[in-house]
Amino acid sequence: MNVCPVCNGLKQLDVHCSECSSQMEEKGRYMDYFDDYSPYMPIDQMKLEDGIPNDYKNHQCPHLYRCPSCGNDQIVLIKE
């Protein structure tokens, strides 16, 4: 069984904004932002529908990171 270390609070990533180099904030799984019911759908099913190639096959969990300084969003793939 593969688990995401960020989703499960086992790890925090130090991600810097590609626009302004500020520290970015982790905002949760990318696919949780699709619609009101996304957070309640099976994770593997949502990976098949999120538009990110091979995240399901490669056991990666896409997380949204947002820069508090400039508002830039970035998707970071976390190895499960």
Side-chain angles (χ1 to χ4, degrees):
M1 172 181 266
N2 299 307
V3 296
C4 174
V6 174
C7 285
N8 289 286
L10 303 172
K11 183 178 181 181
Q12 290 183 344
L13 294 183
D14 187 23
V15 178
H16 292 273
C17 179
S18 60
E19 299 293 322
C20 71
S21 300
S22 294
Q23 177 80 23
M24 296 185 88
E25 298 174 346
E26 196 270 331
K27 296 296 184 180
R29 291 183 307 153
Y30 167 66
M31 54 269 215
D32 287 351
Y33 289 90
F34 291 168
D35 62 38
D36 293 342
Y37 295 102
S38 293
Y40 306 105
M41 300 296 290
I43 294 171
D44 287 341
Q45 178 184 347
M46 293 304 297
K47 284 184 183 183
L48 295 172
E49 300 176 13
D50 66 8
I52 299 174
N54 298 319
D55 60 339
Y56 176 76
K57 180 181 172 187
N58 294 332
H59 305 290
Q60 297 171 316
C61 188
H63 280 256
L64 178 66
Y65 281 78
R66 179 166 290 141
C67 179
S69 298
C70 71
N72 183 42
D73 288 338
Q74 183 175 332
I75 297 170
V76 177
L77 296 173
I78 314 286
K79 181 71 177 155
E80 297 177 330

